[in-house]
Amino acid sequence: MNNKVISGPHLVATRRVNDIMRQVIIALAPSAAFGVFLFGWPALYLLVITICSALAFEACCLRLKGVVATPHLRDGSAIVTGLLVAMTLPPWAPWWIAVTGAAIAIILGKHVYGGLGQNLFNPAMLARVALLISFPIEMTTWINVTPLFTGPGILDSLNLTFSGLDNADGITGATTLGMVKTGFSQNQFLPDSLNHYSGFLAFIGWERGSLGETSTLLLLIGGFGLLRKGIIKWHIPASLLATVFVLSSVFHLVNSARYLSPWVELNSGALMLVAFFIATDYVTSPNTALGELLFGMGCGILIFVIRAWGGYPEGTGFAILLMNAITPLIDHYIRPRIYGRYRDGKPLDISPQ
Amino acid sequence: MLAFLENPRLRGGIHAEEHKQLTTDKTIIKDFPLPKKLYIPVQQHVGKPAEPIVKVGERVYKGQLLAYSQGTISAPIHAPTSGKIIDVKDFPAPHPSVLPVRTVILESDGQEEWLQKHPAIDPFSLNPEEICTKVGEAGVVGLGGAVFPSAVKLNLGRKNQIHTLLINAGECEPYLTCDDRLMQEHAEEIVTGIRIMLHGMGAPKALVGIEDNKPEAFLAMQNASKAFPHISIEKVPTRYPMGWDRQMLRYLTGLEIPADGRATDIGVVVHNVATARAVYQAICLGQPLISRIVTVSGGAVAHPANLEIPIGTLISEVLAFCGADKAKIQRLVMGGPMMGDALPHAEVPVVKACNGILALSSQEIEEPSTKACIRCSSCVTVCPVGLLPLEMVSRIRVNQLDAAVDLGLKDCINCGSCSYICPSNIPLVHYFKFASGELVKRQQAEHKSEQTNRLINDRNQRMERIRLEAEAEAQKAQEARAARLAQQAAAQAAKESA
Ligand code: SF4
Ligand code: SF4
């Protein structure tokens, strides 16, 4: 019999950190797989390189800290980070973008702060924004849809990933948001930029974009899966999407030549990925339901503002990082009300009924 | 403004795996074989220990007073059977520390000879004060595990304006079914007990809260209370810790007990359902609290059961009766698995607080390997009190106990929901208990240093006084000398001028 004195509870729930990470990977899988299908072998290589280097950097950091790496690697958090980084990269990005991205995410995004659970910023978003600022060309070279087996073959793709993309012009173009931004800079109004836009294709993801962001449909499926399993709560995605929806509706109604319709906004860029998989990141989002609603709302406002008036076509990365920075503040001010007390912590008045 | 975010009636909580099917359809076993020796601690309630009045060698009857209650919060202890007192000494109590407490050891004679047969009385002919007194004399305490002397609560209720008696029949702890069975088999007695309690407090109505995973108990109670419209049987959701009376109270009435107040402050008194039956037995049968119903369950037990067990029976004997496999017991728990205490061994007696004995096997107990907190905030979501467990732990880890107190450490009820849910397996409750212990220690140390300081102060003052007195004395002496000298000088001068 056990002779230690142990405090309760003597039962624990069966969900562990690695179960959570596994569920997240499963929820991301359809969208990632679709990205591979949509953009061919180079996308697959990119995915593999990012995940492997994320694991490698994680192992190195853990070793430097002097802990045995294997059990920590098994918790799956590095795989999730790697996967998310890959999903936000242009699908034919060269290998060194992938490795640098993984390095930024794991080393700067996570271990500099002390490892799992300690970081202030979402590692994947940090990597994306850092890459975007450092390597703007590579990070905005969008490949046309080239479904698997119609593009370069297995070996050609290897060459492409490891020695870079030449003669890119023929097969690249801008994303919807990029097109619109460029259109504005040339004093073009929306209808011209959106000549070839198909809402349906955007919804299923048949368009240019990052590896895993294009399909609103598949990301929604994954996101709802996480909601159903209770891995994430509804507060952040709902308030984020609702905020973007409301803001874009209002502005679109006022000036439909200048502002995108809510339908285009919701279908574009990393919005769905961010709403369900990035903004909901446990570590960098608030702890309370009200805090989460505010956080989602803040993200939504910033995304809309950057997209509508900022210098970049896509605003999700910056918006998330800014809100991450505010999270501790939100957590400081927004706390649950304690039973039997007012919000300010004073006991309820005693008033016999 | 913020209220819409919180369900005002139900907050937090978990849905733990129940394991109740092991015992829920088994009739209470009443013929538990009388043990040879019973070990009856004099402290089985919150408050002052009772004072033994029996001598070694004395023969006692079943139900005879062994130890009387002392002070305002206390309860007497009675003989669970007839026999001979063979010792009154310190003996390990069922507590994680198994600290010895004063224990009356009774050797049974197998006669089960009652002290006296009480004449049947109509409980409603007694006045409220008499009811409270009789309940107190019968040693009835809260049988949900909190063991607060019931008479004290009834008296509090009698003196305050009580509008509701809340009967807690939540039994939200996994594995436990003793209350469930009790309601199924003795609903009438419980309802009578409730009516007596209402009468004893002059309260107009009673609410009985039963979790909706006990439909049969609910039906039985409903049938038994049909004739009494002022007793209403209510379904509450199955969500741990619904048995926390404040949670149930809020769910059923929307009322919230102020943080530094008691239920009576808002006109409510809460009793456990098993306590209601004990009140019935005390008043209608004149029978003191000498046995209780215990759920014996867990993976290491061959025949899980609900048993009526005489107080003082060794847990090892109970386990043997239920066919527990010693080799398979990974952890022995008194109470439920969420808030119960792990016992280091089974050679301790069943006491009034003991509603469950769980012999958990290694399949049921996971030896947790703790990981880093991933800030998933599950612990925040499940906390029924509205605390921030992860924040409190991060403060406690760096020994900032005051910061943890600011976050509400003292409001924590140690319900364990947060530890249960934590995907990183962080023993949150363990930290909270540790921190509370440290706070108590610190308070005691402060008290001590305060006392020392006072002593030092006193001494300094005394020294100062002595010094001042000495100075004054010296001053006086000097003045006297000066006066003398002046006198002499004057005399001299007078002599010279003469
Ligand atoms: S449940 Fe555990 S891992 Fe999640 S926030 Fe709380 S302490 Fe951290
Ligand atoms: S043990 Fe304390 S902090 Fe944890 S859930 Fe229960 S009341 Fe909240």
Side-chain angles (χ1 to χ4, degrees):
Chain A
M1 209 184 291
N2 205 322
N3 273 326
K4 265 185 298 177
V5 173
I6 317 134
S7 81
H10 309 288
L11 275 188
V12 282
T14 48
R15 178 174 285 161
R16 293 281 155 271
V17 174
N18 40 359
D19 300 319
I20 294 175
M21 297 298 170
R22 189 175 350 103
Q23 298 281 4
V24 174
I25 293 168
I26 291 172
L28 283 169
S31 186
F34 182 69
V36 169
F37 167 72
L38 207 58
F39 301 111
W41 298 107
L44 180 66
Y45 297 151
L46 188 70
L47 207 59
V48 174
I49 295 170
T50 325
I51 293 176
C52 289
S53 40
L55 279 170
F57 288 122
E58 175 91 358
C60 289
C61 290
L62 290 168
R63 286 299 292 275
L64 281 178
K65 268 209 247 164
V67 295
V68 184
T70 332
H72 292 274
L73 287 182
R74 250 189 240 133
D75 70 21
S77 63
I79 298 179
V80 169
T81 307
L83 182 57
L84 282 172
V85 171
M87 289 179 74
T88 62
L89 293 178
W92 285 19
W95 67 274
W96 55 269
I97 286 275
V99 175
T100 315
I104 296 172
I106 298 288
I107 301 172
L108 291 183
K110 183 173 172 188
H111 282 283
V112 160
Y113 292 96
L116 186 62
Q118 308 282 313
N119 47 307
L120 186 57
F121 298 104
N122 179 293
M125 281 297 105
L126 196 72
R128 176 186 179 135
V129 167
L131 287 173
L132 184 63
I133 296 171
S134 318
F135 311 106
I137 312 256
E138 285 80 359
M139 286 300 287
T140 51
T141 303
W142 308 107
I143 293 300
N144 290 339
V145 174
T146 48
L148 208 56
F149 307 117
T150 65
I154 299 186
L155 291 178
D156 286 347
S157 300
L158 268 183
N159 193 24
L160 211 149
T161 303
F162 283 97
S163 48
L165 190 62
D166 32 70
N167 195 13
D169 291 345
I171 45 170
T172 62
T175 60
T176 306
L177 291 174
M179 215 143 51
V180 170
K181 188 109 282 177
T182 321
F184 282 145
S185 65
Q186 293 159 359
N187 285 328
Q188 250 172 22
F189 283 111
L190 278 181
D192 305 323
S193 312
L194 286 178
N195 264 342
H196 305 289
Y197 182 79
S198 151
F200 174 70
L201 287 183
F203 181 69
I204 60 166
W206 202 270
E207 60 172 1
R208 282 185 289 262
S210 298
L211 201 166
E213 298 178 346
T214 58
S215 177
T216 304
L217 174 66
L218 293 177
L219 287 168
L220 271 178
I221 292 176
F224 273 97
L226 288 189
L227 277 173
R228 245 205 60 204
K229 296 258 176 197
I231 307 275
I232 59 174
K233 289 183 285 165
W234 59 268
H235 305 77
I236 292 178
S239 79
L240 193 158
L241 295 176
T243 307
V244 171
F245 178 81
V246 169
L247 285 178
S248 53
S249 304
V250 170
F251 281 91
H252 185 68
L253 281 179
V254 172
N255 184 352
S256 62
R258 173 68 179 77
Y259 298 100
L260 292 167
S261 75
W263 172 246
V264 181
E265 286 277 4
L266 290 182
N267 268 317
S268 299
L271 193 73
M272 286 299 156
L273 183 74
V274 159
F276 287 98
F277 295 91
I278 304 242
T280 52
D281 172 23
Y282 293 150
V283 183
T284 56
S285 65
N287 289 327
T288 56
L290 178 62
E292 287 173 341
L293 288 177
L294 289 179
F295 178 85
M297 200 190 285
C299 289
I301 294 174
L302 286 174
I303 289 172
F304 180 79
V305 166
I306 297 172
R307 279 182 177 183
W309 301 297
Y312 286 89
E314 166 73 322
T316 49
F318 297 101
I320 292 287
L321 292 186
L322 281 169
M323 288 310 292
N324 285 165
I326 298 177
T327 296
L329 203 67
I330 297 180
D331 273 338
H332 183 79
Y333 284 106
I334 309 262
R335 292 184 180 168
R337 188 181 65 82
I338 297 175
Y339 183 102
R341 294 181 185 279
Y342 293 109
R343 275 206 171 268
D344 62 5
K346 295 209 180 68
L348 295 181
D349 296 323
I350 295 175
S351 54
Q353 330 273 316
Chain B
M1 196 280 277
L2 305 168
F4 74 99
L5 283 169
E6 293 167 0
N7 185 333
R9 292 173 69 200
L10 187 57
R11 194 162 68 171
I14 53 172
H15 200 127
E17 226 182 293
E18 288 182 4
H19 300 278
K20 297 204 188 227
Q21 74 290 349
L22 292 169
T23 48
T24 185
D25 48 9
K26 300 209 177 113
T27 325
I28 298 169
I29 298 174
K30 298 239 167 70
D31 52 358
F32 181 79
L34 190 66
K36 221 37 265 116
K37 285 183 190 169
L38 293 166
Y39 300 79
I40 309 139
V42 295
Q43 168 96 66
Q44 299 188 41
H45 47 263
V46 182
K48 269 200 175 157
E51 184 64 31
I53 51 162
V54 285
K55 285 186 209 68
V56 176
E58 190 178 335
R59 181 169 194 281
V60 293
Y61 295 98
K62 186 172 182 174
Q64 184 178 331
L65 186 68
L66 295 181
Y68 64 91
S69 66
Q70 268 192 309
T72 45
I73 300 182
S74 184
I77 306 284
H78 300 82
T81 186
S82 57
K84 203 171 81 182
I85 306 294
I86 55 173
D87 212 343
V88 179
K89 64 166 187 185
D90 284 352
F91 191 82
H95 184 266
S97 65
V98 282
L99 278 179
V101 297
R102 218 135 151 246
T103 301
V104 178
I105 303 174
L106 171 63
E107 190 176 51
S108 62
D109 57 11
Q111 306 290 315
E112 299 267 26
E113 205 176 330
W114 275 94
L115 185 59
Q116 69 197 82
K117 275 278 167 244
H118 276 270
I121 47 163
D122 172 18
F124 303 99
S125 66
L126 297 170
N127 68 36
E129 210 175 331
E130 286 170 319
I131 286 181
C132 292
T133 312
K134 276 185 181 287
V135 168
E137 282 169 359
V140 180
V141 297
L143 293 178
V147 287
F148 193 84
S150 303
V152 179
K153 260 199 211 176
L154 289 178
N155 261 324
L156 258 177
R158 193 163 58 85
K159 287 170 194 151
N160 288 274
Q161 277 290 331
I162 297 302
H163 56 75
T164 304
L165 166 65
L166 180 65
I167 296 294
N168 188 341
E171 196 165 59
C172 57
E173 280 265 11
Y175 287 95
L176 300 191
T177 57
C178 51
D179 289 350
D180 182 6
R181 286 311 310 181
L182 186 71
M183 287 187 278
Q184 291 184 40
E185 295 174 38
H186 297 286
E188 257 111 47
E189 296 179 10
I190 296 170
V191 169
T192 310
I194 294 172
R195 289 171 56 220
I196 295 171
M197 288 205 240
L198 284 173
H199 179 59
M201 295 189 298
K205 70 168 194 292
L207 292 175
V208 184
I210 304 176
E211 274 191 319
D212 56 16
N213 60 353
K214 309 183 218 342
E216 277 142 37
F218 181 82
L219 265 184
M221 287 294 289
Q222 228 173 15
N223 285 335
S225 64
K226 241 183 222 142
F228 310 103
H230 59 307
I231 300 177
S232 61
I233 316 293
E234 308 274 351
K235 266 197 187 122
V236 299
T238 303
R239 184 124 70 119
Y240 178 86
M242 188 47 94
W244 177 41
D245 47 12
R246 297 184 179 214
Q247 174 96 315
M248 184 179 280
L249 178 65
R250 177 163 58 186
Y251 183 78
L252 287 178
T253 65
L255 298 176
E256 206 167 296
I257 302 171
D260 51 2
R262 278 189 287 236
T264 43
D265 292 332
I266 57 168
V268 181
V269 167
V270 189
H271 281 283
N272 177 268
V273 65
T275 312
R277 188 203 182 209
V279 166
Y280 158 82
Q281 290 178 321
I283 304 289
C284 298
L285 310 179
Q287 185 177 318
L289 185 63
I290 51 172
S291 68
R292 68 155 300 150
I293 297 167
V294 182
T295 301
V296 184
S297 190
V301 177
H303 312 292
N306 284 300
L307 312 160
E308 178 146 21
I309 302 176
I311 302 288
T313 308
L314 287 183
I315 286 180
S316 55
E317 292 185 45
V318 181
L319 286 175
F321 179 81
C322 292
D325 180 352
K326 265 202 181 139
K328 264 174 76 182
I329 302 178
Q330 176 74 14
R331 194 175 296 174
L332 180 64
V333 175
M334 184 181 96
M338 296 300 293
M339 292 184 78
D341 288 320
L343 299 178
H345 59 75
E347 301 306 318
V348 289
V350 168
V351 289
K352 292 175 184 176
C354 176
N355 49 2
I357 298 172
L358 305 178
L360 302 171
S361 66
S362 50
Q363 276 99 44
E364 294 161 292
I365 289 285
E366 194 186 340
E367 283 301 336
S369 66
T370 300
K371 290 218 164 73
C373 168
I374 55 170
R375 300 183 59 87
C376 67
S377 73
S378 307
C379 51
V380 179
T381 314
V382 299
C383 179
V385 184
L387 303 176
L388 297 163
L390 78 162
E391 301 286 350
M392 298 199 304
V393 163
S394 74
R395 304 297 190 285
I396 294 169
R397 275 204 169 132
V398 292
N399 208 21
Q400 296 177 351
L401 298 189
D402 293 322
V405 170
D406 287 342
L407 285 166
L409 178 65
K410 287 186 175 160
D411 290 285
C412 172
I413 56 167
N414 291 337
C415 70
S417 302
C418 50
S419 294
Y420 176 89
I421 207 76
C422 177
S424 291
N425 240 328
I426 299 170
L428 296 146
V429 178
H430 186 78
Y431 280 101
F432 304 149
K433 286 186 179 162
F434 162 80
S436 308
E438 285 299 298
L439 284 174
V440 170
K441 260 195 237 162
R442 203 161 76 181
Q443 234 169 17
Q444 283 167 345
E446 254 161 42
H447 187 71
K448 211 166 146 192
S449 80
E450 230 168 64
Q451 245 174 352
T452 328
N453 277 344
R454 216 185 41 235
L455 288 179
I456 293 176
N457 245 343
D458 284 356
R459 182 170 175 277
N460 285 347
Q461 272 171 11
R462 211 167 49 237
M463 299 308 272
E464 180 71 8
R465 209 175 52 232
I466 291 173
R467 195 177 61 82
L468 285 177
E469 275 169 14
E471 259 172 27
E473 205 103 308
Q475 180 99 25
K476 240 194 246 161
Q478 203 168 11
E479 274 165 18
R481 217 179 73 209
R484 218 171 43 239
L485 283 178
Q487 228 173 13
Q488 277 174 4
Q492 190 84 28
K495 232 197 297 180
E496 270 169 21
S497 62

